[in-house]
Amino acid sequence: MEAPPSCTIAYEVTDRWYDGFQASVTLTAREDLRDWTVGWRYSDGRRVTQMWDADFFQRGGTVTARAKGYNRWVRAGEPVTFGLVGTRYGATSPPSGFTLDGAPCATA
């Protein structure tokens, strides 16, 4: 029997325009976090250009977001949210493969 995911991720597009979008990502973990890294994948060519409340790196469609110094410590069950702006071309599909420190997360 598989263990339940250690976290839940809620990804919400909060605005979009012809060639761009804005989104928020909310992480809720089942255990206290002393630091965190969230990952996901875009399958449609989207690129993150800015992120706040996290640092980011993107290679191809894979995005990695890391905690800032001020939001590294998170209590179990308390959500932490970060936002981003990116580019898009045409229709977009939901991101997939959300992880917390490499372990799969459920999506809300």
Side-chain angles (χ1 to χ4, degrees):
M1 184 172 171
E2 257 183 64
S6 62
C7 61
T8 302
I9 299 283
Y11 179 96
E12 179 184 10
V13 175
T14 56
D15 196 8
R16 67 185 69 177
W17 50 95
Y18 173 74
D19 61 351
F21 69 101
Q22 180 175 330
S24 67
V25 181
T26 302
L27 160 68
T28 306
R30 291 178 31 169
E31 297 181 9
D32 290 349
L33 302 176
R34 295 180 190 259
D35 202 358
W36 52 265
T37 301
V38 171
W40 68 91
R41 180 154 181 76
Y42 291 125
S43 61
D44 53 14
R46 280 180 279 180
R47 300 288 306 166
V48 175
T49 57
Q50 286 183 296
M51 189 173 284
W52 51 95
D53 296 329
D55 293 317
F56 78 96
F57 174 77
Q58 183 169 359
R59 177 173 289 184
T62 302
V63 179
T64 304
R66 294 200 166 136
K68 293 280 202 179
Y70 56 84
N71 64 3
R72 293 177 45 186
W73 296 74
V74 182
R75 289 183 181 218
E78 289 186 6
V80 61
T81 300
F82 55 95
L84 60 102
V85 172
T87 59
R88 70 182 187 98
Y89 301 99
T92 57
S93 57
S96 61
F98 285 99
T99 61
L100 171 61
D101 300 330
C105 285
T107 54

